[in-house]
């Protein structure tokens, strides 16, 4: 059974919340040190000490609140903004000269952290709301605001709105990416199911149609009905309307159903499997198998998929090259990859036949061969010259890997 991919995504907001947590701690320390070194200027130092002590406790106690959007509630944001505004408005009570000079307020740049929390939580509109209150508090605190005051207020207002807008764009991008990953996963699963159907049900229907036509009589009518169902099922596979039902990987050809068994090396999904044993049943009077003397070990899933692709290639030889065609299978065990070549001495593929087959819903090459190799991180190259046979070269890396390339055309 194919393994499902688990995609673990980290929210784009998480680094922003982490940065905000660090910002609040650092700016709280900065505000305390700034007041400590300038304590001589406070006419009422107890006001500054009381507020900064509360700011220290508040910042450390609310660190869990600014670790994620879920924990940062509206109630907390409102309370945090009140703390920032209170610190700004208390500054003239502690320092009488603060309205005459553009000095720092008691919370200093810690106030920006409160506005940034609004921006990350709710976007640019929430940022505009919070920064407007901070701007009004700064103007009131100054009494007679100077040009620098307006400059600083405008800078905080514009910067917070810009950050809020960036957060909204990042959220939209994350939703788009999540949707794209879901579509990709669904497409890959649909292609896998379509390959299974092609390797089992479609092969059986095609066999029934050929045998029924050859026998004649009532069997011919049965063959005709099987042919109609094959066409209908191919249409469903091509359009993506594949039923989510797991089917077996048996492939029918001739009078019997062939089942490929996993070798004794395959003791689990993570075990290795000898590819030679999986391909050995294909050898016969019209199919020659050339293999290395040592086991060709691959992960069990990779070996099964590669063997199924080889089986699909041989099915194409029997169907398109004729019952008298000769086929050769060559297994090459390279240090980093395994190469399997399937060659026949048939008439070859006429130009444009692959595109025509894809349009008819015949997806043998696209799904059963190239689709399988693509999912394993490998490649499938088809070389055919009319009158000189066809060669299919299958390559997969020994280390499991997922490739996102586009599947090729059908035969």
């Amino acid at each position: 059974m194919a393994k499902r991919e688990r995609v673990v995504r980290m929210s784009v907001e998480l680094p922003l919340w982490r940065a905000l947590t660090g910002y609040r701690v650092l700016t709280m320390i900065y505000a305390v040190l700034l007041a400590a070194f300038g304590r001589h200027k406070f006419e009422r130092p107890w006001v500054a000490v009381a507020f900064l002590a509360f700011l220290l406790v508040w910042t450390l106690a609310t660190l869990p609140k600014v670790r994620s959007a879920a924990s940062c509630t509206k109630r907390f944001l409102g309370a945090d903004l009140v703390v920032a505004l209170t610190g700004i408005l208390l500054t003239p009570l502690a320092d009488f000269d603060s309205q005459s000079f553009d000095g720092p307020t008691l919370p200093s740049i810690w106030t920006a952290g409160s506005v940034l929390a609004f921006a990350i939580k709710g976007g640019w509109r929430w940022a505009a709301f919070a920064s407007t209150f901070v701007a009004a508090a700064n103007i009131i605190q100054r009494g007679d605001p100077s040009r620098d005051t307006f400059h600083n207020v405008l800078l905080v207002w514009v910067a917070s709105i810009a950050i809020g807008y960036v957060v909204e764009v990042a959220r939209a991008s994350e939703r788009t990416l999540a949707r794209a990953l879901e579509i990709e996963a669904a497409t890959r699963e649909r292609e896998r199911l379509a390959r299974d159907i092609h390797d089992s049900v479609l092969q059986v229907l095609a066999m029934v149609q050929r045998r029924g036509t050859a026998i004649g009589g009532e069997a011919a009518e049965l063959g005709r009905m099987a042919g109609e169902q094959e066409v209908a099922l191919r249409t469903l596979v091509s359009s993506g309307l594949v039923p989510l039902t797991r089917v077996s990987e048996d492939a029918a050809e001739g009078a019997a159903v062939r089942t490929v068994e996993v070798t004794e090396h395959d003791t689990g999904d993570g075990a290795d499997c000898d590819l030679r044993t999986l391909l050995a049943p294909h050898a016969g009077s019209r199919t020659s198998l050339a293999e290395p003397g040592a086991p060709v070990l691959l992960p069990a899933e990779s070996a099964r998929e590669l063997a199924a692709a080889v089986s699909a290639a041989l099915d194409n030889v029997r169907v398109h090259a004729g019952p008298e065609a000769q086929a050769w299978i060559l297994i090459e065990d390279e240090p980093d990859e395994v190469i399997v070549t399937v060659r026949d001495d048939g008439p070859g593929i006429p130009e444009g036949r692959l595109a025509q087959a894809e349009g008819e819903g015949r997806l043998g090459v696209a799904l059963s061969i190239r689709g399988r190799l693509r999912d394993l991180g490998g490649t499938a190259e088809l070389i055919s010259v009319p009158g000189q046979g066809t060669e299919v070269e299958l390559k997969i890396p020994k280390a499991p890997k997922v490739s996102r390339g586009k599947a090729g055309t059908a035969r």
Side-chain angles (χ1 to χ4, degrees):
M1 185 174 182
K3 296 178 181 178
R4 295 179 179 270
E5 296 180 36
R6 178 176 296 178
V7 181
V8 180
R9 299 190 303 271
M10 183 181 72
S11 171
V12 294
E13 298 179 27
L14 187 57
L16 296 177
W17 289 111
R18 290 175 177 173
L20 178 60
T21 301
Y23 178 87
R24 288 170 64 89
V25 173
L26 293 176
T27 53
M28 178 269 296
I29 296 174
Y30 175 76
V32 172
L33 293 177
L34 193 65
F37 286 112
R39 61 184 180 277
H40 58 277
K41 69 176 182 178
F42 291 115
E43 284 78 10
R44 296 192 180 111
W46 62 270
V47 175
V49 171
F51 174 78
L52 291 174
F54 175 80
L55 183 66
L56 175 63
V57 174
W58 173 262
T59 302
L60 296 179
T62 57
L63 286 181
K65 291 290 188 179
V66 291
R67 289 179 179 173
S68 66
S71 59
C72 188
T73 61
K74 292 181 180 179
R75 179 176 298 180
F76 163 73
L77 288 175
D80 199 55
L81 182 61
V82 169
V83 171
L85 298 178
T86 301
I88 294 174
L89 297 177
L90 283 177
T91 302
L93 296 179
D95 181 9
F96 296 160
D97 295 331
S98 62
Q99 292 183 325
S100 304
F101 302 96
D102 288 328
T105 59
L106 288 178
S108 184
I109 56 177
W110 182 92
T111 306
S114 179
V115 177
L116 290 176
F118 273 86
I120 300 174
K121 173 70 174 180
W124 70 268
R125 293 176 180 83
W126 287 34
F129 171 83
S131 59
T132 299
F133 277 95
V134 172
N138 274 283
I139 292 175
I140 293 173
Q141 180 264 329
R142 294 300 178 190
D144 186 16
S146 64
R147 180 181 299 177
D148 290 339
T149 301
F150 283 109
H151 172 78
N152 294 333
V153 165
L154 182 62
L155 180 62
V156 172
W157 194 73
V158 172
S160 60
I161 291 178
I163 293 174
Y165 178 75
V166 170
V167 170
E168 289 187 0
V169 172
R171 283 201 189 103
S173 300
E174 186 179 26
R175 288 192 296 268
T176 302
L177 176 60
R179 179 57 180 162
L181 291 174
E182 290 175 359
I183 293 174
E184 181 188 15
T187 301
R188 292 170 68 86
E189 179 67 6
R190 186 172 64 238
E191 289 181 356
R192 182 186 65 80
L193 293 172
R195 287 198 297 267
D196 292 339
I197 291 175
H198 177 273
D199 292 347
S200 55
V201 182
L202 291 179
Q203 296 286 4
V204 173
L205 291 176
M207 179 194 69
V208 173
Q209 181 186 20
R210 291 195 299 271
R211 291 302 178 86
T213 303
I215 295 173
E218 294 183 357
E221 177 64 15
L222 180 61
R224 183 189 65 79
M225 295 173 62
E228 292 177 352
Q229 295 303 313
E230 180 192 5
V231 172
L233 186 55
R234 288 187 186 278
T235 302
L236 289 175
V237 171
S238 301
S239 62
L241 301 176
V242 182
L244 296 178
T245 303
R246 178 67 178 172
V247 297
S248 66
E249 294 196 357
D250 298 335
E253 180 59 35
V257 176
R258 182 180 67 253
T259 303
V260 178
E261 298 290 347
V262 178
T263 68
E264 59 184 357
H265 295 285
D266 183 15
T267 58
D269 288 340
D272 286 339
C273 180
D274 188 357
L275 180 65
R276 301 179 309 164
T277 309
L278 294 180
L279 298 183
H282 294 299
S285 60
R286 299 198 177 278
T287 303
S288 300
L289 175 63
E291 59 187 26
V296 181
L297 299 179
L298 286 172
E301 183 68 22
S302 299
R304 287 194 293 265
E305 291 294 287
L306 181 56
V310 172
S311 177
L314 292 174
D315 288 339
N316 279 344
V317 172
R318 283 185 286 268
V319 173
H320 300 287
E324 302 300 322
Q326 186 73 28
W328 294 267
I329 304 174
L330 173 63
I331 306 176
E332 300 175 81
D333 189 6
E334 301 293 339
D336 299 325
E337 63 182 0
V338 173
I339 305 173
V340 179
T341 304
V342 180
R343 185 170 60 86
D344 65 69
D345 60 357
I349 304 175
E351 185 177 355
R353 173 56 184 155
L354 292 179
Q356 179 185 357
E358 183 180 10
E360 295 173 354
R362 300 182 178 274
L363 306 175
V365 173
L367 293 179
S368 291
I369 300 179
R370 285 185 175 139
R372 277 191 165 94
L373 271 293
R374 179 203 63 201
D375 288 349
L376 297 175
T379 59
E381 296 185 11
L382 188 147
I383 303 173
S384 180
V385 178
Q388 299 183 22
T390 301
E391 179 177 302
V392 180
E393 185 180 69
L394 311 174
K395 296 181 180 180
I396 66 168
K398 290 186 175 180
K401 176 171 96 171
V402 176
S403 172
R404 295 184 180 181
K406 185 178 180 181
T409 54
R411 182 175 183 179

